[in-house]
Amino acid sequence: MMRLDKLLCDLGEGTRKEVTLRIRRGAVTVDGVTVTRPETKVDPETAVLTLDGLPVVYSKYVYIMMNKAAGEICATRDPKLPTVVSRLPEKLRRRGLFPAGRLDRNAEGLLLLTNDGDAAHMLLSPARHVEKTYFVRYDGTLAPDAETRFRNGIAIPADDGDPACVCMPAELIRAGEHEARVKVTEGRYHQVKRMIAAVGGHVTYLRRETFGPLTLDADLRPGAYRELLREEITQIEEIKRKTRRQT
């Protein structure tokens, strides 16, 4: 059971003070009955709520798919630069959403915003080897044996404090002249750019197309977003269940 005012705050319906005032003014019903006491206990899983005559649907977690726009950073806030979270309406920002992982400032593509820390950890943990696919455009000419080198684990140089290393086996698929797709199961700093550079190219454009069970919605223009579909959430929940059984 939860206090009614806390439940509405957790759902992003306002600050505690704002929610308290709305409850006391009779704007909230619980199971068809107007409730004016903020401290009223309700079961969030079963209670039927309305606020100002509109239904309020309880969900513990929120999952947003965004097609990140170039020029924005993967952060909740920044004093100088636009962030991916700043695109969201206040109601969603109040839910405590954060980007699960990051894309470079000038990169585009699939980004998951959520308040589900377990899901974020599961998708980002190096031990889980979650696959990600990136579409890239590049200058230069890739080495003839680039695909083999990717499959065998390519060595990449140090970059901005991230040490030189040998990457885990990955996949390089040439998609056209100066275009390719790269599939990796790691998330090292500038990894895809460094891998392409190691075989003779220079990435000029990068877009993430898949992230674990999720595929970027082709209808989302850069900067646009939507909540995950029920089947997409189910896939994440299933991976979480499998992860718990293995630990």
Side-chain angles (χ1 to χ4, degrees):
M1 302 291 283
M2 292 179 64
R3 283 178 58 118
L4 181 58
D5 54 357
K6 184 180 187 306
L7 173 59
L8 292 175
C9 284
D10 288 351
L11 294 176
E13 297 296 345
T15 65
R16 181 64 69 93
K17 182 177 180 180
E18 291 169 342
V19 165
T20 296
L21 288 174
R22 296 171 80 179
I23 295 172
R24 287 177 174 164
R25 289 171 180 167
V28 178
T29 68
V30 179
D31 297 329
V33 178
T34 298
V35 176
T36 58
R37 297 173 59 222
E39 67 273 18
T40 300
K41 295 294 183 68
V42 297
D43 184 342
E45 299 288 349
T46 61
V48 178
L49 305 176
T50 68
L51 177 61
D52 293 328
L54 299 175
V56 177
V57 180
Y58 173 77
S59 60
K60 183 177 181 180
Y61 298 121
V62 180
Y63 306 93
I64 300 293
M65 176 186 293
M66 177 179 285
N67 184 357
K68 178 191 170 298
E72 297 179 352
I73 62 172
C74 292
T76 55
R77 61 178 63 89
D78 188 273
K80 297 181 179 179
L81 299 172
T83 71
V84 292
V85 172
S86 67
R87 280 194 174 271
L88 302 177
E90 185 177 3
K91 181 176 178 178
L92 283 176
R93 294 200 302 272
R94 285 174 173 163
R95 297 298 305 271
L97 302 185
F98 58 89
R102 66 184 182 186
L103 286 169
D104 296 342
R105 179 182 175 187
N106 292 322
E108 297 181 357
L110 176 57
L111 188 67
L112 175 65
L113 300 169
T114 185
N115 57 355
D116 185 347
D118 288 343
H121 176 74
M122 174 269 297
L123 290 168
L124 297 172
S125 172
R128 302 302 171 197
H129 306 308
V130 173
E131 186 175 86
K132 297 169 280 287
T133 304
Y134 298 85
F135 171 80
V136 299
R137 297 191 184 100
Y138 60 88
D139 292 333
T141 302
L142 302 189
D145 64 344
E147 289 89 343
T148 300
R149 292 167 64 185
F150 270 57
R151 285 195 300 271
N152 292 339
I154 192 167
I156 58 176
D159 184 8
D160 197 19
D162 195 64
C165 65
V166 175
C167 295
M168 295 184 64
E171 186 175 5
L172 171 68
I173 306 168
R174 303 184 200 232
E177 187 175 2
H178 298 293
E179 295 181 345
R181 283 184 172 82
V182 177
K183 296 183 178 183
V184 299
T185 56
E186 297 175 282
R188 295 182 177 276
Y189 183 71
H190 287 170
Q191 181 174 348
V192 173
K193 294 180 180 179
R194 293 159 72 187
M195 294 171 78
I196 292 293
V199 293
H202 172 74
V203 172
T204 58
Y205 173 80
L206 184 146
R207 180 180 69 242
R208 182 158 64 193
E209 296 182 328
T210 73
F211 181 27
L214 304 177
T215 298
L216 180 62
D217 189 328
D219 291 332
L220 290 179
R221 57 176 175 75
Y225 59 88
R226 65 163 171 80
E227 293 193 37
L228 291 194
L229 304 176
R230 180 67 251 178
E231 54 265 34
E232 294 168 331
I233 296 174
T234 298
Q235 290 177 306
I236 289 178
E237 291 173 342
E238 179 59 28
I239 294 176
K240 286 170 63 177
R241 283 192 292 270
K242 289 180 180 179
T243 299
R244 293 191 187 103
R245 289 197 295 266
Q246 294 169 358
T247 57

